[in-house]
Amino acid sequence: MSDTTDNKKGQGTIFEVNPKKAYNTNDEVASTSYDSSSGSISETEESKGGFKGWFHNFIDGFKRYDVGEIDPNLTDIERTAVIAAKAPLKRKLKSIHIQMIAIGGAIGTGLFVGSGTALATGGPASLIICYSLTGAMIFCTVQALGELSVAYPVAGSFLSLCNRFISPGWGFMISWNYAMQWLIVMPLELVAASLTIQFWNSSVNPGAWVAIFYCTIVIINLFGSLGYANVESVLSMIKIVAIVGFCILGVVLNCGGGPNGKYIGGMYFHNPGAFNHGFKGLCSVFVTAAFSFEGTELVGLASAETQNPEKVLPSATKQVVWRVVLFYLVSLTLVGLLVPYNDSRLLQSSSVDVTASPFVISIENAGIKVLPSIFNGVILISVISVANSAVFGCSRTIASLADQSFAPKWFGYIDRTGRPLAGVGLALLFGLLCFLSATPKEAEVFSWLMALSGLSSICTWGTICLCHIRFRNAMKVQGRTTDELSFTAISGVIGSWFGLILNCLVLVVEFWISLFPIGSKPNAKAFFQSYLNVVVNIGLFIIYLLWKRRKSIVWIHGKDVDLVTGRKKVDVDLVRQEKAEMKAYIRSRPWWYRTYKFWC
């Protein structure tokens, strides 16, 4: 059986399916045997039921999924597009999974703990300004990502799309940049989890807790994308409830309703003040804000494993605004009102020490005894959640690297149940660095690991915005319109330009802060620990140019961009009709419903 399309440049290629494999309607692999004489496929005895059949299917599920032959005459860009479109990742994720990943997936130590460093460095006003601007940028970025992911629900999402919308060199750089980010996040978060436990019990060696959390992550990821999504949904719900509860409690405490009964109001905005370290302090908060939103783009990366991306992703990307407004701005505004930026506990430790969390400090200041332990439990859950997301993000990125011929082919090993086993294995292998927590050089090692991934998200988000700009430009040059898109970004191309420019400004500002750090003289170690990621990215781009030499493509012109391969087939007239009907229906409903549909 074969499904063929025109295999001219930019027009797709031949998709072949091995006749010795049969698949049921929900994309699960059926255990089969092939009768060469009759050409029929029949069910084996082992697959008819019982423990033997279950065990056989379980073992068989680890075998490699065969995507068929690829036309050897295709260019590197065309080959990448075809493989991304044919990737055997299973579409098991439902609407609730994607929505929970979008709403709570990135809430972790960046918000709960890292915001304490930002508060101490820049003051409460800087916290609100920087998180507001970063939140607006994230909203525009995720909207752009939603439009691209709905139009091209392919494996690797923006990683494979920037390979054909911008250039292969840029795709090589950003894909390895993104892989490094998640490779490093997992061991960091597992160490953070062990440190969180020490809030209750410091007598047990941190390595023991690291081992427990590591095994937990391994077990979760054996169940593939559905296992990750189910666990992430539960953990995200806990984080959401905790944030909403803190916002309510924060208002009560600020008004003097706590055990201490002291009205606070805006006192700390006057003494010690709204800003700290002036403009440089304000600029330094941008990087912490970016780290807090890390992982937002996972919604797009999950598009290739979503059951109905054209219906689910638009709603999920719109809901980012709720996370920005409620979970970040409201909670951090309350934190700024409840905790002065000169509180000594904010400055006493690294970004993974829960005792430096402004959320916990505000509760302790109010004289509440039990609640700090409960909130530390939420922080522990958040840390495990981010570590779990790291394996998901890293494994899909590793597979995408192989699909794009940027890494050995075995990196792209995906089994019959849709698990990118090579990527998962590599992520878990690198995750063993978490056991460095038992060494005296732990702090120095992790400082340099953080330096490798510190600005990774900024580069990733800027690339997503640039991809969207290039996509719209290619459509315009090739005579296409947005009428053929089932979902378009609310922020449009203007939002992508805003996101791209702001990301570039953050890189410039961070260069200044890294070169002239607050409170100390310029030194090479401080600079590279803050800016190493950008230096590595430049090195990756140069490596690609040297690797490909004359075959390297630095920039793809709009007229040459492939807008067809991997594109979800749509009836343009039907899409226009459905859009018109939906707009007419929404206009007929009350204002509150129209507002809800606009944002959700």
Side-chain angles (χ1 to χ4, degrees):
M1 179 179 67
S2 66
D3 176 20
T4 63
T5 59
D6 185 4
N7 68 337
K8 295 180 181 179
K9 183 177 181 181
Q11 300 298 319
T13 189
I14 298 175
F15 285 46
E16 297 181 353
V17 180
N18 191 331
K20 294 187 179 182
K21 294 182 174 64
Y23 303 91
N24 57 26
T25 55
N26 63 354
D27 291 337
E28 295 293 336
V29 178
S31 178
T32 63
S33 64
Y34 182 70
D35 187 349
S36 59
S37 61
S38 62
S40 62
I41 300 173
S42 60
E43 193 175 40
T44 62
E45 292 297 325
E46 289 85 0
S47 65
K48 291 182 179 180
F51 175 78
K52 187 177 180 181
W54 174 86
F55 183 74
H56 175 273
N57 290 337
F58 175 75
I59 298 300
D60 194 58
F62 286 93
K63 294 180 179 179
R64 185 164 193 155
Y65 189 112
D66 186 5
V67 297
E69 297 294 329
I70 303 295
D71 187 347
N73 298 318
L74 296 176
T75 65
D76 289 345
I77 298 176
E78 292 170 336
R79 180 182 177 278
T80 298
V82 169
I83 293 177
K86 296 176 65 177
L89 296 171
K90 300 301 180 183
R91 295 191 178 276
K92 294 181 178 180
L93 303 188
K94 300 178 182 179
S95 175
I96 183 64
H97 295 138
I98 298 299
Q99 289 177 11
M100 294 309 297
I101 291 172
I103 295 175
I107 299 177
T109 53
L111 173 65
F112 290 129
V113 183
S115 57
T117 303
L119 176 61
T121 304
S126 295
L127 204 67
I128 297 171
I129 293 171
C130 292
Y131 274 80
S132 297
L133 288 174
T134 307
M137 180 263 290
I138 288 296
F139 178 73
C140 295
T141 302
V142 175
Q143 280 292 302
L145 179 59
E147 181 178 312
L148 293 171
S149 298
V150 170
Y152 299 92
V154 298
S157 186
F158 58 90
L159 299 174
S160 61
L161 292 179
C162 73
N163 187 29
R164 62 165 126 162
F165 290 163
I166 304 174
S167 76
W170 197 277
F172 176 84
M173 177 191 72
I174 208 65
S175 295
W176 275 109
N177 167 78
Y178 198 64
M180 283 193 304
Q181 171 187 321
W182 289 120
L183 280 172
I184 291 166
V185 163
M186 182 190 175
L188 285 175
E189 295 297 327
L190 291 179
V191 171
S194 68
L195 293 176
T196 304
I197 291 290
Q198 293 185 23
F199 181 85
W200 299 287
N201 188 341
S202 59
S203 61
V204 180
N205 190 303
W209 297 115
V210 165
I212 294 173
F213 298 137
Y214 181 85
C215 292
T216 302
I217 299 299
V218 171
I219 293 171
I220 291 172
N221 282 275
L222 283 178
F223 293 94
S225 61
L226 197 58
Y228 156 75
N230 285 330
V231 171
E232 193 60 35
S233 295
V234 174
L235 299 184
S236 293
M237 182 61 71
I238 295 173
K239 289 186 285 186
I240 290 169
V241 171
I243 289 291
V244 173
F246 176 82
C247 291
I248 297 173
L249 175 65
V251 173
V252 173
L253 295 180
N254 186 261
C255 294
N260 291 341
K262 177 184 176 183
Y263 174 77
I264 301 173
M267 179 175 64
Y268 295 136
F269 272 73
H270 299 282
N271 182 26
F275 294 94
N276 190 23
H277 297 119
F279 181 68
K280 184 176 284 189
L282 172 70
C283 293
S284 67
V285 176
F286 271 115
V287 178
T288 306
F291 175 73
S292 300
F293 286 98
E294 189 175 70
T296 312
E297 70 287 338
L298 283 175
V299 176
L301 206 61
S303 62
E305 300 174 70
T306 305
Q307 288 183 354
N308 195 0
E310 68 272 13
K311 299 294 183 182
V312 173
L313 290 177
S315 178
T317 55
K318 288 179 181 179
Q319 290 179 14
V320 171
V321 70
W322 296 108
R323 180 167 61 189
V324 171
V325 173
L326 178 61
F327 303 147
Y328 286 84
L329 296 186
V330 175
S331 62
L332 290 177
T333 299
L334 289 168
V335 161
L337 291 171
L338 296 172
V339 182
Y341 71 71
N342 59 355
D343 191 304
S344 59
R345 288 168 291 181
L346 294 174
L347 299 169
Q348 64 183 220
S349 62
S350 66
S351 61
V352 295
D353 191 338
V354 296
T355 59
S357 170
F359 291 83
V360 175
I361 292 172
S362 63
I363 296 172
E364 290 177 339
N365 288 345
I368 303 176
K369 300 298 182 182
V370 180
L371 200 54
S373 292
I374 296 176
F375 212 86
N376 275 307
V378 174
I379 294 176
L380 178 62
I381 288 172
S382 300
V383 169
I384 296 174
S385 170
V386 175
N388 186 38
S389 297
V391 178
F392 177 85
C394 181
S395 59
R396 274 64 185 173
T397 305
I398 293 296
S400 179
L401 282 167
D403 292 345
Q404 299 176 74
S405 300
F406 295 155
K409 290 184 178 180
W410 65 269
F411 274 29
Y413 188 105
I414 298 178
D415 67 15
R416 295 185 180 182
T417 60
R419 291 171 297 197
L421 286 184
V424 171
L426 188 61
L428 294 175
L429 180 64
F430 205 88
L432 292 173
L433 287 174
C434 61
F435 289 101
L436 287 172
S437 60
T439 69
K441 294 288 186 179
E442 170 207 352
E444 185 175 348
V445 171
F446 283 111
S447 292
W448 285 107
L449 286 176
M450 279 291 291
L452 281 172
S453 63
L455 294 172
S456 176
S457 293
I458 300 296
C459 299
T460 299
W461 297 331
T463 294
I464 292 172
C465 293
L466 182 57
C467 268
H468 184 238
I469 293 169
R470 296 284 297 143
F471 169 62
R472 287 289 191 92
N473 174 258
M475 290 190 70
K476 182 179 180 181
V477 171
Q478 297 182 24
R480 296 171 177 265
T481 66
T482 56
D483 290 341
E484 62 186 74
L485 299 177
S486 55
F487 171 69
T488 54
I490 295 175
S491 52
V493 180
I494 295 176
S496 294
W497 276 112
F498 168 76
L500 178 60
I501 293 171
L502 188 58
N503 277 295
C504 292
L505 288 176
V506 171
L507 290 178
V508 172
V509 163
E510 178 60 16
F511 179 82
W512 176 45
I513 298 296
S514 302
L515 200 58
F516 303 100
I518 296 173
S520 63
K521 296 180 180 180
N523 65 87
K525 183 178 180 180
F527 174 80
F528 283 108
Q529 283 190 340
S530 299
Y531 218 70
L532 182 60
N533 178 257
V534 177
V535 177
V536 170
N537 285 338
I538 295 173
L540 287 171
F541 193 79
I542 293 173
I543 288 172
Y544 177 83
L545 295 179
L546 295 175
W547 173 29
K548 293 296 182 178
R549 296 185 181 179
R550 294 182 181 179
K551 293 183 179 180
S552 62
I553 302 175
V554 179
W555 190 258
I556 300 176
H557 297 288
K559 61 183 178 62
D560 298 324
V561 170
D562 177 9
L563 293 173
V564 177
T565 307
R567 180 81 175 271
K568 188 171 182 63
K569 295 181 179 179
V570 295
D571 184 328
V572 177
D573 293 332
L574 181 60
V575 169
R576 290 172 179 169
Q577 180 181 346
E578 289 178 345
K579 283 185 175 180
E581 291 175 354
M582 180 58 69
K583 288 180 180 178
Y585 173 73
I586 292 176
R587 281 196 297 267
S588 67
R589 300 301 300 273
W591 68 268
W592 59 266
Y593 182 82
R594 295 196 300 270
T595 304
Y596 169 79
K597 292 301 292 183
F598 180 80
W599 291 112
C600 299

